[in-house]
Amino acid sequence: MNGRRVSRKQLTDILSSSDIQVSGHNIVQQHAITRLAEVTHEERRRIIEDMIGIAVYDSRRQNQRSNCSKQI
């Protein structure tokens, strides 16, 4: 870190002091940010929805709508 070698424990302590959990999804690789900046706004929204899990609920909602329309 900053040109010095640090142990994993030291690094996790530093990150934890900033409320960054190593086990979480806080660290994003640079190429992912670059790709996100280069895609269309529709694709960016889809990517973000996939990351936070909204796509699963949209799929379930669509399935339920299909089931309801079949019953009518």
Side-chain angles (χ1 to χ4, degrees), residues 1 4-18 20-22:
M1 178 177 339
R4 296 181 327 182
R5 295 191 78 163
V6 295
S7 69
R8 178 178 168 82
K9 173 78 169 114
Q10 289 171 316
L11 181 60
T12 57
D13 288 346
I14 291 168
L15 292 174
S16 293
S17 70
S18 300
I20 299 174
Q21 300 302 317
V22 177

Side-chain angles (χ1 to χ4, degrees), residues 3-67:
R4 296 181 327 182
R5 295 191 78 163
V6 295
S7 69
R8 178 178 168 82
K9 173 78 169 114
Q10 289 171 316
L11 181 60
T12 57
D13 288 346
I14 291 168
L15 292 174
S16 293
S17 70
S18 300
D19 290 330
I20 299 174
Q21 300 302 317
V22 177
S23 61
H25 294 93
N26 305 340
I27 300 174
V28 180
Q29 296 177 351
Q30 181 62 41
H31 70 87
I33 298 298
T34 303
R35 179 168 168 7
L36 199 58
E38 293 173 346
V39 298
T40 64
H41 68 277
E42 292 95 2
E43 189 175 354
R44 185 177 309 117
R45 180 179 176 150
R46 184 191 57 76
I47 292 168
I48 293 170
E49 287 177 351
D50 286 345
M51 286 190 304
I52 60 176
I54 292 176
V56 172
Y57 296 107
D58 287 342
S59 175
R60 289 180 186 171
R61 183 175 60 188
Q62 184 62 35
N63 288 339
Q64 289 299 323
R65 285 184 179 170
S66 295
N67 291 339

